[in-house]
Amino acid sequence: MFASPPEQTLEWSGTGVEGAQRFLRRVWAFGVNNATRIATASKLDVATLTDAHKALRREVYKVLQQAEHDFKRIQYNTVVSACMKMLNTLEAAKLDDSAASNAVIAESFSVFLRILNPVTPHITHALWEELGYSKTDGEILDAQWPQVDAGALEQNEVELMIQVNGKLRGSITVATGADKASIEAAALANEHAQKFITGTQKKIIVVPGKLVNIVV
């Protein structure tokens, strides 16, 4: 399912099967390695979350948005790709052993298993049972489909790429909702961009949430 959109033909590949197996081994390993954290996790309290917790939840729900969109389009290969992205995010998360961290891991892996379940129902069912999710949410087939938490997607700052004459020259971090003048000033003050700025700027183009292009 990962190798091709459903409407296209696919040549059988043993290498592809091996890759899928490696991915599922990682899924199982993550569940086993975090079994205690998930089993003992308390209810998530947003007020106790650190920036690291918020960053993880933001990425998880961004991927959930993508997966929901792809499910509706019957693009199962990109659904699997979304699951891979989410697992990468979970594995890379550097969280402590606090109650808040355990709650975030439990919530995130619950979302992950439900997205992956239509694709690989057996391993996700087994993990759902082993990790105790069935005790609070019922069987995975009956569990509510995960809903995107709009609050988790909010962020106080955003990173913007800086281009000079269309070429990437650096980046800046500004407050979400910063006005155009503040963004322009921050971009012009960036030490990496300054090396490529000579004379008077002809134009500064701000693409909200994405980039600043300085034309000289």
Side-chain angles (χ1 to χ4, degrees):
M1 294 180 76
F2 170 65
S4 171
E7 71 275 9
Q8 295 183 12
T9 57
L10 174 67
E11 183 177 349
W12 180 262
S13 167
T15 302
V17 174
E18 292 171 2
Q21 183 192 46
R22 286 194 299 272
F23 169 65
L24 294 179
R25 284 180 178 274
R26 288 171 54 205
V27 172
W28 187 265
F30 185 88
V32 171
N33 293 338
N34 289 276
T36 301
R37 302 184 72 162
I38 293 171
T40 60
S42 55
K43 186 176 180 180
L44 182 72
D45 181 0
V46 177
T48 66
L49 301 185
T50 65
D51 288 342
H53 297 143
K54 293 176 182 177
L56 174 56
R57 295 185 78 236
R58 183 162 52 247
E59 289 304 311
V60 165
Y61 282 108
K62 282 171 62 177
V63 175
L64 173 59
Q65 277 189 321
Q66 175 194 333
E68 284 190 322
H69 177 68
D70 293 337
F71 264 124
K72 292 175 182 177
R73 296 188 305 140
I74 318 179
Q75 293 295 311
Y76 300 127
N77 59 312
T78 48
V79 169
V80 178
S81 175
C83 291
M84 291 178 173
K85 289 180 183 177
M86 191 177 292
L87 182 61
N88 289 341
T89 298
L90 287 167
E91 289 177 331
K94 305 297 183 183
L95 302 183
D96 57 22
D97 294 324
S98 66
S101 293
N102 294 347
V104 170
I105 290 293
E107 178 201 40
S108 299
F109 201 56
S110 169
V111 171
F112 171 82
L113 289 177
R114 281 176 284 172
I115 297 173
L116 187 60
N117 179 252
V119 181
T120 59
H122 299 93
I123 190 172
T124 49
H125 170 80
L127 282 169
W128 188 265
E129 292 292 320
E130 288 283 339
L131 299 175
Y133 288 117
S134 59
K135 295 177 182 178
T136 55
D137 300 297
E139 299 290 335
I140 193 168
L141 286 175
D142 300 323
Q144 182 182 10
W145 187 254
Q147 303 297 310
V148 175
D149 185 343
L153 297 177
E154 296 177 358
Q155 54 188 120
N156 297 324
E157 295 181 327
V158 61
E159 183 181 22
L160 304 178
M161 298 299 106
I162 301 177
Q163 294 180 345
V164 179
N165 292 334
K167 294 184 179 180
L168 183 62
R169 300 302 187 188
S171 66
I172 54 173
T173 300
V174 299
T176 302
D179 60 32
K180 187 171 183 290
S182 300
I183 294 173
E184 291 179 356
L188 292 173
N190 181 269
E191 59 178 346
H192 299 292
Q194 285 183 346
K195 299 175 184 178
F196 303 93
I197 300 174
T198 56
T200 304
Q201 296 79 45
K202 296 179 181 178
K203 185 187 299 184
I204 301 178
I205 304 169
V206 177
V207 181
K210 294 185 178 181
L211 60 87
V212 183
N213 187 22
I214 302 170
V215 182
V216 297

